Amino acid sequence: MDNSQAAYEYYLSQGLEPHQAAGIVGNLQGESGRDLNPYATNKGDGRDGSDSIGIAQWNGTRAQALKEYAASKGAPWTDLNIQLDFLHQELKGSEKSAYQQLLAAQTPEDAGRAMLAFERPKDWNKPGAHPERAQYAAAAYAKYAGGAAPAQGGAVAPPQVAQAATAPRQMPQRLDTQAMPPIFAGAPPGGVGALLAQEVAQAAPIFFAPRRSPDLSKLQAALAPVSRGFFVNRG
């Protein structure tokens, strides 16, 4: 399980709906990358010149609050679970306004846009700002929830994502002997193969014409031994 899926599963366990959890993940991916790097640090990125840190790129007093929360749990601030839990605590506390928008969201795109109020990137409150966050949320929903969310209230439905077919393979139906040629109709229990063997066994025997014996007389004469005469010297 990668960090993005771990985050998605965590927020489901906290009672959020799949499309709402996807909205959080989509925004976190826009902050700290596709794999949600809990060590991510952007030097001097904060409005006050502080570093932005973690999966949500907290900075300023919020970054300090994350470190204090981690210390209270006896864990480093770079711990992924600490950051996920701290984010949820913020949503239920100081970031309750963004949380209410998230809970009102009906699609992953709506949830992605709602979480802009939590992250507050540059120009976040301008119409149409950061459309990629909605796209990331829709992609996270398609990947982790296993499908596209239904469009509601005129919202744009998530793009279709090609997936491998999961339907079970259909077994071939039994052969209809009534529709088969006569040679296959009424096949014995052994199937068509047994029927063919039966047909072969019952077929009329095949006769071959006898071969003529070859005339070997000339060959035998050629190979017969040659008689030699013996002469006696009487002188």
Side-chain angles (χ1 to χ4, degrees):
M1 184 183 298
D2 59 27
N3 289 350
S4 292
Q5 185 174 0
Y8 174 82
E9 298 289 347
Y10 171 81
Y11 292 117
L12 287 185
S13 72
Q14 299 303 307
L16 291 176
E17 296 295 329
H19 67 281
Q20 296 164 348
I24 296 177
V25 171
N27 263 270
L28 294 178
Q29 288 177 331
E31 294 291 331
S32 57
R34 181 177 180 179
D35 296 327
L36 305 191
N37 180 11
Y39 293 88
T41 301
N42 197 349
K43 295 289 185 179
D45 181 61
R47 291 186 178 89
D48 59 353
S50 61
D51 298 342
S52 294
I53 61 174
I55 58 176
Q57 290 292 276
W58 291 279
N59 54 52
T61 57
R62 293 175 71 180
Q64 184 59 37
L66 166 64
K67 294 177 179 179
E68 293 174 357
Y69 180 79
S72 71
K73 300 294 184 180
W77 69 264
T78 53
D79 184 280
L80 176 64
N81 292 323
I82 287 292
Q83 294 184 22
L84 294 175
D85 193 50
F86 177 72
L87 187 153
H88 195 223
Q89 296 300 320
E90 280 195 313
L91 284 174
K92 293 187 296 182
S94 59
E95 301 295 326
K96 184 176 294 185
S97 175
Y99 193 42
Q100 293 301 320
Q101 296 180 52
L102 177 66
L103 295 179
Q106 298 297 312
T107 68
E109 291 93 341
D110 286 345
R113 286 185 284 267
M115 282 298 293
L116 286 174
F118 173 87
E119 295 290 352
R120 297 190 286 280
K122 184 179 180 181
D123 298 329
W124 68 273
N125 54 354
K126 293 184 178 180
H130 299 282
E132 76 284 353
R133 302 297 174 96
Q135 296 170 5
Y136 295 159
Y141 183 90
K143 183 176 182 180
Y144 302 127
Q152 297 184 20
V156 178
Q160 295 294 328
V161 178
Q163 296 181 344
T166 57
R169 295 180 61 185
Q170 298 294 326
M171 296 299 292
Q173 298 181 352
R174 300 185 64 181
L175 297 176
D176 182 2
T177 57
Q178 299 296 325
M180 297 176 67
I183 188 173
F184 296 117
V192 173
L195 174 61
L196 293 177
Q198 177 180 322
E199 292 289 337
V200 171
Q202 295 177 355
I206 300 175
F207 297 96
F208 296 92
R211 292 185 176 182
R212 294 179 59 187
S213 300
D215 184 2
L216 302 178
S217 59
K218 293 182 179 180
L219 179 62
Q220 291 172 349
L223 297 177
V226 178
S227 299
R228 294 184 178 181
F230 294 90
F231 301 91
V232 180
N233 187 355
R234 297 175 186 265

